């Protein structure tokens, strides 16, 4: 596949979507064709799964069901959108990908699911494919959740199923993201997201230039 695949990961309220959009603008200014997408919900079917996964009672199903649904969403996302776009030479920027499942459904729930089971699901749904670069935007969950609730207050559909989990869940998943990054330093870059949008954007652009180049 000739395009580059970049993912943005992190807990709630880290500013991933804003940073993704800003990077897409930079790519466009360099005449690099980029597709912006997200998980869950990067496809039409995915949007239906997103509503099921992100809205409503936090205990309506457990972490196992969540993991299965997230991987179903991912498989559809890969086959219908990500892989075709990369094959056509586009860059693909995704707001979340598989690290979110490991962080939320494994670390968030305090490692109740066997890690191997999630790794097996990854193999089935994704195979050996990996992002070329992953940004892990790191922030104290208390700050991130406050940002996230403020944003949700202005929305018609409240996607706060995960936000409504206890702080411990969010602290666990934050540690999870940091462990994932430490295990795969060639792919993952952790950036402190508790700074201005512009400062974080500069770091992201610099990292892309250093790690992937612009051609
Ligand atoms: P977003 O609010 O960043 O768009 O993400 C949607 C929610 O879904 C967010 O609370 C994180 C959660 N999520 C998981 O729990 N596991 C996953 O694999 C993904 C992709 C998202």
């Amino acid at each position: 596949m000739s395009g580059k695949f970049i993912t943005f990961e992190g807990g709630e309220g880290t500013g991933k979507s804003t940073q993704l959009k800003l990077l897409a603008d930079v790519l466009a200014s360099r005449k690099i064709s980029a597709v912006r997408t997200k998980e869950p919900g990067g496809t039409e079917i995915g949007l239906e799964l997103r509503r099921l996964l992100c809205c409503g009672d936090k205990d309506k199903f457990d972490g196992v069901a969540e993991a299965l649904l997230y991987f179903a969403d991912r498989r559809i996302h890969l086959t219908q959108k990500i892989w075709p776009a990369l094959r056509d030479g586009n860059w693909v920027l995704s707001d979340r990908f598989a690290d979110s499942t490991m962080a939320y459904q494994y670390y968030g729930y305090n490692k109740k699911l066997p890690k191997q089971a999630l790794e097996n699901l990854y193999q089935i749904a994704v195979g050996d494919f990996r992002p070329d670069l992953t940004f892990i935007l790191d922030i104290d969950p208390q700050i991130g959740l406050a940002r996230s609730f403020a944003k949700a207050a202005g929305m018609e559909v409240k996607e706060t199923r995960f936000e409504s989990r206890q702080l411990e869940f969010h602290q666990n998943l934050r540690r999870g993201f940091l462990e994932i990054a430490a295990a795969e330093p060639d792919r993952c870059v952790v950036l402190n997201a508790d700074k201005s949008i512009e400062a974080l954007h500069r770091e992201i652009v610099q990292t892309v230039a250093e790690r992937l180049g612009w051609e």
Side-chain angles (χ1 to χ4, degrees), residues 12 16 39 50 54 70 74 96 100-101 104-105 162:
E12 305 299 327
K16 289 177 285 90
E39 286 194 1
R50 183 180 178 95
C54 300
Y70 278 116
R74 188 158 301 132
R96 296 195 185 281
S100 279
T101 312
Y104 279 73
Q105 279 66 50
F162 285 92

Side-chain angles (χ1 to χ4, degrees), residues 94-95 101 108 112 126 163 201 207 215:
S94 186
D95 187 340
T101 312
K112 282 202 199 95
V126 188
E163 280 89 333
H201 173 60
T207 307
E215 47 320 317

Side-chain angles (χ1 to χ4, degrees), residues 77-115:
H77 193 200
L78 283 164
T79 55
Q80 294 189 358
K81 193 167 182 183
I82 298 175
W83 286 336
L86 290 171
R87 262 186 235 115
D88 286 349
N90 301 288
W91 288 34
V92 176
L93 311 183
S94 186
D95 187 340
R96 296 195 185 281
F97 190 64
D99 296 321
S100 279
T101 312
M102 196 53 95
Y104 279 73
Q105 279 66 50
Y106 176 67
Y107 289 98
Y109 290 119
N110 219 355
K111 309 185 180 176
K112 282 202 199 95
L113 295 180
K115 194 177 194 187

